């Protein structure tokens, strides 16, 4: 990959919501949100489990929004109903990622 395109891929990753969370975690010395919450609000297993569940819940909401957007794009691009568009789009993402590996994923980030 040319350096310019690697830079574009890295920039698209860093222009996400993680940009606003990561500096606080890094300054705090933690690597994950549950690490931060456990130290900040107590070290019990219950607190860690709640933090993990909240993190998974937030990730799920983000994933649903991404899949919805992908379904809309595919629906409008090839003119099929929404459920077929979601299935087709996810299948394409899976195939391209499996066949292309990290190079394909990097090109996807460049496009974003």
């Amino acid at each position: 990959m040319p350096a310019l395109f690697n830079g574009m891929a890295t920039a698209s990753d860093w222009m996400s919501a993680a940009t606003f969370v990561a500096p606080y975690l890094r300054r705090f010395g933690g690597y994950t949100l549950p690490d931060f919450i456990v130290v900040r609000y107590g070290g019990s297993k219950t607190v860690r489990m709640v933090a993990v569940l909240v993190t998974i819940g937030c990730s799920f909401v983000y994933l649903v929004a991404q899949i919805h957007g992908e379904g809309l794009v595919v629906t409008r691009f090839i003119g099929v109903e929404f459920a077929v568009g979601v299935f087709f789009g996810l299948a394409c993402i899976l195939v391209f990622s499996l066949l292309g590996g990290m190079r394909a994923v990097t090109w996807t980030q460049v496009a974003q």
Side-chain angles (χ1 to χ4, degrees):
M1 297 295 304
L4 175 67
F5 294 120
N6 271 326
M8 291 170 67
T10 302
S12 79
D13 276 339
W14 282 101
M15 285 189 251
S16 67
T19 304
F20 301 107
V21 177
Y24 300 107
L25 292 177
R26 186 176 34 233
R27 188 173 354 155
F28 185 74
Y31 293 102
T32 65
L33 208 49
D35 288 341
F36 172 77
I37 291 173
V38 164
V39 173
R40 178 83 166 91
Y41 296 105
S44 71
K45 286 190 174 203
T46 304
V47 171
R48 181 173 288 278
M49 187 56 66
V50 169
V52 168
L53 292 174
V54 168
T55 302
I56 290 171
C58 291
S59 298
F60 181 75
V61 168
Y62 183 73
L63 179 65
V64 167
Q66 291 281 31
I67 291 172
H68 182 77
E70 170 260 332
L72 288 175
V73 168
V74 172
T75 297
R76 291 186 178 153
F77 186 66
I78 62 175
V80 295
E81 69 179 65
F82 181 74
V84 175
V86 168
F87 179 76
F88 183 75
L90 289 175
C92 287
I93 291 168
L94 178 67
V95 168
F96 292 150
S97 296
L98 289 175
L99 294 178
M102 281 306 294
R103 179 173 226 141
V105 173
T106 301
W107 281 113
T108 300
Q109 290 302 109
V110 169
Q112 288 180 1

